[in-house]
Each structure stands twice: as C-alpha cells, then as structure tokens.
Amino acid sequence: MTAPANDSGLSRRRFIRDTAVAGAGLAALPGASAAAARPKRRTRRTVAIFGAGVGGLTAAQEMRERGFDVVVYERKALGGKSRSNTVPGSARGGRRELPGEHGLRFVPGFYHNLPDTMRRIPVAGNENGVEGNLIATRSSSFARDGGREDLVFPPDSQEASGESLFQWLNGGFTQGSNIPPQEIAYLSNRLAIFFSSSDERRLGQWEHVSWWDYLNADRRSEEYRRLLVNGVTRNFVAAKPQLASTRTIGRIFEAFAYTSMRRDGGGEFDRVLNAPTNEAWIDPWVKHLRKLGVRFRSGTVRSLALKRGRIASACVRDSKGRTRTVDADWFVCAMPGDRARSLWTPALRRADPRLDAMRTLQTAWANGIQFYLRDEVPVLHGHISYVDSPWALTSLSQAQMWEGRDFARDYGDGSVRDCLSVTLSDWDDPGILFGRPASRCTPDEISQEVWAQVKAHLEDTGRTYLPEGVLHSYHLDPAISYKPRRPGDGGVRARNDEPLMLNAVGSWSSRPEARTAIPNLFLAADYVKVDIDLATMEGANEAARAATNALLDASGSNAPRAEIRELYRPPEFEEAKRQDAERFARGEPHVLDVPEPT
C-alpha cells in the first residue's frame, strides 16, 4: 500500500471556490433537491471514464468541474503509469514502505497544460497547489564512459535570443564533446531547416523520415551518433532514432531548446516532484476529485455495446471476476492504446474507421528500477543520461529532491538513506555483463547490468560514487513480469504490462482525434492527436482537455471550454515558415536543404 498523503488544507478563498464548483456539479445530478437547478428538459450528464491515468483523472476533473456526474473505472491503480509504487514488506518501525517509480518522471518547462491542472489541486501550505511540489533541478548531464568528458547542461542561456540559438547549440556541443566541428555545423543546419519548416512540410515530409535518416547518421562519426542522434531519442523519450519520426523528435528538440533559452514563458528546464509521486501529486489529486464528487470503481472494461450508432453500455469485470453493465450518457476511453484497441469490435471500427487504424501503432518499453543505498549519493542535482549505455539509462538521485523528508527516518527499515532511480529505455539491445537484452534477463541480472552500466559512466575517471557495500537492495517496476521457463526457450522472457506508445515514422495518420465518429465516445490518452505529439503526461492531459471540449460540444453545454495551450512558436520564424509552405506546395525542398557533396 502506498502511504497516504497528508491531509490537504484549504485556504478560505480556495475552499469557497471548490465548494461552489462541487455544489454546481451536485445540483445537476439526478435527484438534486433544488428545483432551480433542474433543467426543464433532461440533460444527459453521466460520464463513464475508463482508465485512471493522467488522461482519465484530467478528464474527470475537467468534466466534474463543469457539472457532469463522473465515475472512473480503473483495472489496476489510480494514477496509471504516472503513479509511484512501493516495495511490499519493506517498512519497519512505523516507517513507510520504500518508494518506487514506474519510470522517468519530470515536468519540463515546455509543459503548460499539466502544470495548470496541478495548480488546481489543493495542497496544504501551497498557494499553487500541487504545482508547488515541483522543484527545479540545477543541471542535467550527458554522462560518458571510457573516460570521455561528460556534457553538463543547460549552459547559462537565460538571455539568449532567437538569433543566437544556433550559436548556443554550436558552442554547447563543441565545448562538451569530441564531435568534429563540421558535424556540429551540419547538425545546426539540419535544426535550422526543421525549425523554419512549415507545418505543411513537417507533416507532409518530416513525419515520414526517421530522426536517424534526417540527421544522416550513417555518414557521421560514432560520437555524433551517440550524443546527438541517440542521446535525446533513446534516453529521454524512449524511442529508437531509426524508428522515431523527425516531426516528433524535432519538435521536442525545439521545445527543449526554447525552454533552455527561457523563450516559451514556461517553467524551469527540468522540474521534479519533491516527494514520491503519489504523496506529492496523485493522492492529493484523487482526494480533491472525491471531494468534487467523482466516484472511483475498480474494474476492467471488457466491451462496449453499440446500438443505433451510439455506445449504449459497457461491460466491466471486477477483480473477483464478476461482470456488470455500466450505463452512462457519455463514455471516455482513457486507457493506453494497446488496451483500447482490444475494445474496437468490427462494428465500432466500421462506425469510425480511425479506430481501426490504431492497430498499426507501435509501443516501446521504458520502465524503472530503484537502487536503495545505505549512504547519500546525490551525484548530480538533476537527471543523468548515460549516453553510452546499451540500455539507454537515465537516472535521478531522489533523496536530495525530497524537501523536508529524511529517507532513513521516513522509509524502509531505517538503514536506507538514498534512492538512485534509473529508467531503462532500451530493452532490446545486449548488455555488457550477460550479453542479453533486458527483456531476456532475470530481475537480478537486470539489477547487476544496470548497476554496472551506471558505474561505467560515473566512475570511469577514477572517482567512486557507488562504493562496495553501499547497495542495500533494488526494486524493479512491477509492470515487468515473466513467463514460466520452458525447455529449449533459451532463457527467461519478460513481459511488460505498461508499455509506452512509440511515435514511429508515419504514425500520425494512425492516431485518432479525441472526438470519435461515435457521438458519445471520446478518447483521452497519450496516443490521441495533440499538439505536443509525444506519449507523455502532458500529451495525456492535453488529450483529456480536447475530449472535454468535444463532449461539451456534443452535449450542447455552454460551460467554459478547457483551455489548451500549444507549444511555443517563435515569431522570428513565421515568415520563413510561410515561404516554406509555398515551396512545399510547389514540390520544392526547403531553401536550406541542399544535397551534401559526395
């Protein structure tokens, strides 16, 4: 069990506001006593949401605040992939169980919609709600093995202008790497092409080119490939550059650059929570939603019944195997794409062919392992990307981030003083100890491999960060499970209950909108077509806002629409993009995109 969050205190102003919102919603429920609150004609107001990850919880909040009667069904745990978990049986002496995480958890400055939701979740002592539980890291690092220099970033670029963007990129990578200058210049040219490409070219051309091919990685040095091509895609967004769309990765590269330069009006470059995710965010969120009147039910949706072109009901099975019929006016599917596809019957796919296209969407693995340490090992005040690790590792030393908490006092058996949380974003390439991918290793082997790959990067210059005896124990994400071994199968084979959608080349056309062709079915998950175009918490939050607005339109509601903020668009590139749109329409390449000399 995850330790409950502290009771959330409310300011007088917030209490009045939240009470008013909840009261407005409750007045609209069937059976409300106030006659003035009843519409003259019945308004369809019941919503069933399937999935309680970021998308489902965001949809529940947005819809409940607008007076809808909301019930959320979740098969596993509230918070979905964004929740934290714990190590069963690890608590002693009144402490909480050791905390674990599904994977990499951070809120970069170019996230705007998710922080807005966080601000509206009350927390005692925080004027800005849960957003006040976010703290900025001081730096991030691309760590290298083999004695190579680590690249720490971002450099001091607060005053950087649009004109200095590529100079900043050139300087940062030239000073922090052994990449030949001409390759840095080539990268700058490719980024200049992308940053000034029109939306039409990005969707019509770059969506169909892999990041690997766009950066011409086959013709570049190994350092170029590892740091510039693999560094962002494998370690931060769990995607292989050979598969990932240039449109997707280029936009994220762009967003990180503008956030580093403080151009987008958002937050700090990298922000993390000041406590385990459930304590800092999910538990206060669920408590707030319950106070608003949202109800939660345990269960897995098994099927959707289509009648007269609408969803008439859903069949839900609980943990004891019992099934029941769920009736509602509106249905929101907030489950991950791989699970949502199991609901799309031939009848549903005929009703909305875009649902059928989802069958081509691919997934990748990005799961975490936590190392509990007997001593504090802060390493770096921020995320470390292990560029040369075959398993694309990224880590965060957590105790230093958890303000007001003493790890040994609050968690475990009293002997654990820190937690090195590591995310594995490549489960398919062989490791350095056993020569097998993570998906074919046992939990103990994964632990040994990850530990060895981390040490190879941190201790390659003679400094000891992880001395003998510092490791207390480890905890692998419980989403990873194992099939029983069979004779001749060549070893273990892991299964992942919670994979991540992969933004593969050409996948945009296979992703549906939040509004489906079925008038009372909406989608609120990270595979939905949204501006950020990446499987992230921000993407799920944005999709839920789009689903809310679509439901409001379909219901004829005059409630205020959910605000959706898009990624920053630098004004200095608008004219170049306009001209490029004209060139693209004529079938001409980007003006800067000239063939390389052979």
Side-chain angles (χ1 to χ4, degrees):
M1 297 288 290
T2 300
N6 295 331
D7 289 344
S8 300
L10 300 174
S11 67
R12 173 180 170 81
R13 180 181 298 174
R14 190 181 293 275
F15 177 81
I16 293 173
R17 185 202 70 185
D18 288 344
T19 303
V21 170
L26 292 172
L29 299 180
S33 59
R38 296 194 188 105
K40 294 181 180 180
R41 294 187 302 169
R42 179 179 180 272
T43 301
R44 294 177 171 177
R45 307 201 69 85
T46 60
V47 182
I49 298 176
F50 302 117
V54 170
L57 296 181
T58 302
Q61 180 167 343
E62 298 290 345
M63 294 172 185
R64 183 60 186 145
E65 286 178 347
R66 288 158 177 80
F68 288 84
D69 180 10
V70 178
V71 183
V72 179
Y73 298 85
E74 168 57 42
R75 73 181 180 96
K76 201 170 185 180
L78 302 182
K81 289 194 286 289
S82 295
R83 74 191 184 281
S84 54
N85 51 69
T86 61
V87 182
S90 61
R92 300 286 187 278
R95 299 177 183 85
R96 302 170 182 176
E97 292 179 324
L98 291 170
E101 297 285 352
H102 167 76
L104 185 67
R105 184 86 64 250
F106 76 121
V107 181
F110 59 84
Y111 283 13
H112 294 290
N113 298 296
L114 184 68
D116 172 71
T117 296
M118 289 178 159
R119 280 191 292 273
R120 291 152 48 204
I121 303 169
V123 173
N126 285 0
E127 181 180 355
N128 292 324
V130 163
E131 189 191 33
N133 287 340
L134 291 174
I135 61 173
T137 64
R138 291 197 290 269
S139 56
S140 299
S141 172
F142 279 163
R144 310 302 307 277
D145 67 7
R148 286 173 285 195
E149 184 179 358
D150 296 345
L151 175 61
V152 179
F153 66 95
D156 185 9
S157 56
Q158 296 186 24
E159 303 302 324
S161 64
E163 292 75 14
S164 65
L165 171 62
F166 301 108
Q167 180 181 358
W168 171 75
L169 289 169
N170 272 328
F173 284 115
T174 300
Q175 294 173 21
S177 72
N178 295 319
I179 301 173
Q182 64 270 23
E183 293 191 341
I184 298 289
Y186 178 78
L187 171 72
S188 292
N189 174 258
R190 300 307 290 173
L191 292 179
I193 291 171
F194 184 84
F195 286 15
S196 57
S197 286
S198 62
D199 293 342
E200 292 83 355
R201 188 180 299 279
R202 292 186 181 194
L203 185 60
Q205 183 176 0
W206 304 140
E207 167 68 12
H208 304 283
V209 177
S210 73
W211 188 240
W212 183 272
D213 289 341
Y214 181 76
L215 295 184
N216 209 352
D218 284 329
R219 297 185 59 186
R220 299 290 176 260
S221 67
E222 181 64 19
E223 282 290 279
Y224 176 96
R225 288 192 289 269
R226 282 185 179 274
L227 187 58
L228 302 182
V229 183
N230 284 321
V232 174
T233 48
R234 293 173 72 242
N235 298 59
F236 278 109
V237 297
K240 289 192 173 184
Q242 295 89 342
L243 301 176
S245 158
T246 292
R247 177 178 182 269
T248 298
I249 304 304
R251 294 196 80 204
I252 297 305
F253 205 115
E254 184 180 43
F256 272 122
Y258 289 127
T259 296
S260 299
M261 300 167 66
R262 310 292 175 87
R263 290 290 307 279
D264 65 355
E268 302 289 337
F269 180 83
D270 182 5
R271 295 170 294 181
V272 298
L273 290 164
N274 63 1
T277 305
N278 274 28
E279 293 182 38
W281 176 24
I282 301 299
D283 289 347
W285 199 1
V286 171
K287 180 178 180 179
H288 178 57
L289 292 176
R290 284 191 167 122
K291 187 172 293 186
L292 290 180
V294 174
R295 290 169 287 163
F296 294 93
R297 301 286 184 267
S298 176
T300 302
V301 59
R302 305 294 296 175
S303 61
L304 300 174
L306 185 68
K307 291 185 179 179
R308 299 184 181 91
R310 298 175 64 90
I311 303 299
S313 62
C315 177
V316 174
R317 185 173 67 186
D318 65 20
S319 59
K320 296 182 179 180
R322 298 171 298 193
T323 60
R324 62 170 169 165
T325 299
V326 173
D327 296 314
D329 298 313
W330 312 101
F331 295 84
V332 179
C333 180
M335 302 187 303
D338 56 307
R339 293 194 172 274
R341 288 182 300 205
S342 66
L343 300 177
W344 309 149
T345 62
L348 288 171
R349 295 197 298 270
R350 286 193 298 270
D352 189 343
R354 293 173 299 178
L355 300 179
D356 186 50
M358 284 178 58
R359 72 186 188 280
T360 64
L361 295 179
Q362 303 178 49
T363 59
W365 291 20
N367 300 71
I369 183 171
Q370 284 74 50
F371 294 103
Y372 304 108
L373 310 177
R374 294 187 172 92
D375 294 313
E376 293 184 8
V377 184
V379 187
L380 183 83
H381 194 273
H383 286 98
I384 301 175
S385 176
Y386 300 86
V387 175
D388 302 302
S389 61
W391 289 1
L393 306 180
T394 305
S395 79
L396 181 71
S397 297
Q398 290 188 313
Q400 62 181 332
M401 305 296 178
W402 292 351
E403 300 171 337
R405 285 169 172 76
D406 182 299
F407 212 108
R409 180 196 66 201
D410 296 340
Y411 301 100
D413 61 5
S415 65
V416 175
R417 298 179 60 82
D418 206 344
C419 173
L420 183 67
S421 184
V422 185
T423 297
L424 294 71
S425 295
D426 190 326
W427 289 70
D428 300 320
D429 287 343
I432 65 175
L433 292 183
F434 303 104
R436 297 195 303 276
S439 60
R440 301 302 298 269
C441 289
T442 67
D444 282 346
E445 290 171 340
I446 290 175
S447 171
Q448 295 173 51
E449 274 278 8
V450 173
W451 189 257
Q453 292 178 35
V454 167
K455 285 175 69 71
H457 285 72
L458 296 183
E459 302 182 350
D460 57 326
T461 57
R463 183 173 180 180
T464 299
Y465 285 98
L466 303 171
E468 189 72 24
V470 74
L471 180 60
H472 174 278
S473 55
Y474 75 88
H475 172 62
L476 183 64
D477 181 5
I480 302 298
S481 62
Y482 291 83
K483 295 181 179 179
R485 296 186 64 173
R486 295 176 298 180
D489 70 356
V492 299
R493 186 183 298 275
R495 292 182 292 186
N496 190 348
D497 190 50
E498 297 178 347
L500 188 70
M501 190 197 79
L502 174 64
N503 291 70
V505 168
S507 62
W508 179 260
S509 61
S510 298
R511 294 164 59 185
E513 305 279 354
R515 179 198 299 270
T516 73
I518 301 168
N520 65 336
L521 176 64
F522 309 91
L523 308 178
D526 57 14
Y527 58 84
V528 170
K529 286 180 177 177
V530 291
D531 183 63
I532 196 171
D533 186 31
L534 187 68
T536 57
M537 298 184 295
E538 174 78 351
N541 184 279
E542 187 178 343
R545 290 165 181 255
T548 298
N549 292 342
L551 189 152
L552 293 175
D553 291 343
S555 67
S557 171
N558 60 1
R561 268 45 182 174
E563 180 185 9
I564 298 178
R565 285 192 58 181
E566 298 184 345
L567 293 175
Y568 174 71
R569 292 180 65 99
E572 61 266 31
F573 284 127
E574 288 304 313
E575 177 58 23
K577 290 179 179 180
R578 186 193 65 78
Q579 294 181 22
D580 183 61
E582 295 176 355
R583 291 181 62 89
F584 182 74
R586 295 193 298 266
E588 299 172 359
H590 190 284
V591 67
L592 299 179
D593 194 5
V594 296
E596 281 193 277
T598 57

